[in-house]
Amino acid sequence: MSNAEVLSAFLDGEPFDRGELAGALEDPEGRRLLFDLLALREIVQPEESIPHLPIPKVPIRFAVRAVFAAAVVTLALTGGYAIGVKRSSASEVQAPAPTRIVEGTTTIAEPVEGGMR
Amino acid sequence: MCSGVLNCEGMADRSAVLATHSGALFRYLCRAVGEAEAARDLTQEVFLRATRTPMPANGNGHVTAWLFRIARNLALDYHRGQRRHPPVEVLRDQVARSASQDVELAVNQALASLTDLDRDVFLMREVAGLGYEQIAAACELTPDAVRSRICRARLALREQLAAPIATSRGPAAQRSLNTKTRTDQ
């Protein structure tokens, strides 16, 4: 790692080699860089104060809606099934009595031996 | 009933997680987009998106990375929108601008000169206080890549912000540095 990388990792509390840090700090330019990076950290902080940001309560509303929708669908399916069962058992349709009977003869053509020609 | 997107069991946790991260997200977005008003709106948008998607259940580090990934995508979208529809420049009274406003402007300009990825990696570390692992997860990089990008961004910003840094460093630190340098020689 270069001096800059060692100092950068040191500033960030990330792992670094102590020997490399000692070497970087022995160099006047390394010390200057360390001071500059600390100053840089200070000046890049935003001045704006953190506003009060309300946390949306969307999930609860979504959950209520989803539960309601699921209940409606379940009710509709159960109701439809129940109505269907009731109708099928209560109103069994009887076949009408025959008014006349048509009798006919059937003629079956015997196949010729040897298969089709 | 409450599975997937709804994730009922995590609703209370989710609110707590969002409340915990709101400050860091706002600060990151403030610098990432350069406007407090836009940052406020985008932070709210992060909250909304976070409530509509399943929260990772692998611990706080993953949740932080997940939230910052959402924030980063929103910031990138914001920049794309700005490039398509550049805002009308408002003429400001140059004389009335305070020194701190000058520094703000210089910092925003310096940050804008970095690549999107370098800027975001730097801001997540320096302004939002994320660790290298979390930044790596948020930006889909390796921790080593994060380390070198942060270092590169710092060096670039140090060069561009030499004047505000010298002012911020203060005379005491400058004297100390000069003394130490003379002792070394």
Side-chain angles (χ1 to χ4, degrees):
Chain A
M1 279 199 281
S2 65
N3 280 359
E5 279 187 330
V6 173
L7 291 171
S8 191
F10 168 65
L11 274 180
D12 293 339
E14 297 288 338
F16 60 88
D17 186 273
R18 283 185 193 179
E20 286 183 331
L21 178 65
L25 290 176
E26 277 175 11
D27 181 11
E29 178 51 32
R31 289 196 295 276
R32 194 177 301 278
L33 176 62
L34 182 63
F35 273 87
D36 284 356
L37 296 186
L38 284 169
L40 175 65
R41 172 168 288 178
E42 195 178 310
I43 64 170
V44 296
Q45 300 305 319
E47 286 185 339
E48 289 80 8
S49 57
I50 298 164
H52 172 68
L53 296 165
I55 309 294
K57 304 220 183 280
V58 178
I60 295 168
R61 211 184 316 154
F62 275 2
V64 170
R65 277 186 196 167
V67 169
F68 182 72
V72 167
V73 169
T74 309
L75 196 67
L77 289 173
T78 313
Y81 178 75
I83 290 168
V85 167
K86 196 177 172 185
R87 276 190 185 170
S88 64
S89 60
S91 58
E92 281 181 3
V93 182
Q94 299 291 327
T99 52
R100 64 192 178 104
I101 296 168
V102 179
E103 288 185 0
T105 56
T106 56
T107 308
I108 299 167
E110 291 293 330
V112 180
E113 271 186 34
M116 293 179 68
R117 292 191 182 178
Chain B
M1 183 58 64
C2 284
S3 62
V5 173
L6 296 173
N7 196 8
C8 283
E9 62 192 15
M11 276 178 199
D13 291 346
R14 188 179 296 239
S15 294
V17 164
L18 294 180
T20 307
H21 289 85
S22 63
L25 284 166
F26 173 73
R27 290 164 65 77
Y28 160 71
L29 286 167
C30 247
R31 280 293 183 217
V33 301
E35 288 177 46
E37 197 60 39
R40 195 171 295 123
D41 292 345
L42 291 178
T43 310
Q44 281 288 295
E45 186 60 30
V46 173
F47 289 170
L48 280 175
R49 292 198 182 187
T51 53
R52 288 174 187 164
T53 47
M55 190 168 71
N58 305 8
N60 190 44
H62 286 79
V63 172
T64 306
W66 168 66
L67 286 173
F68 274 87
R69 197 178 312 137
I70 296 172
R72 178 166 185 263
N73 288 336
L74 285 171
L76 290 174
D77 286 347
Y78 177 86
H79 283 299
R80 282 189 206 109
Q82 292 290 97
R83 277 196 281 269
R84 275 199 297 271
H85 308 288
V88 179
E89 279 296 321
V90 179
L91 289 175
R92 293 199 176 90
D93 186 359
Q94 299 290 319
V95 181
R97 212 165 57 200
S98 68
S100 69
Q101 283 174 318
D102 279 340
V103 173
E104 279 287 297
L105 190 65
V107 168
N108 284 340
Q109 284 174 346
L111 286 169
S113 72
L114 299 176
T115 64
D116 288 343
L117 194 52
D118 283 1
R119 183 195 61 227
D120 289 335
V121 163
F122 171 78
L123 289 177
M124 282 183 198
R125 171 58 231 156
E126 210 68 304
V127 175
L130 269 64
Y132 286 3
E133 292 277 348
Q134 291 172 324
I135 298 170
C139 298
E140 294 170 339
L141 295 169
T142 62
D144 282 341
V146 170
R147 180 195 305 274
S148 59
R149 279 183 184 275
I150 287 177
C151 183
R152 191 167 62 196
R154 278 181 168 141
L155 292 177
L157 291 173
R158 181 200 188 202
E159 202 176 313
Q160 293 191 51
L161 296 170
I165 284 174
T167 311
S168 172
R169 200 165 50 203
Q174 191 59 54
R175 269 199 307 277
S176 167
L177 272 174
N178 291 341
T179 312
K180 188 82 177 102
T181 308
R182 276 199 298 276
T183 314
D184 290 338
Q185 287 163 356

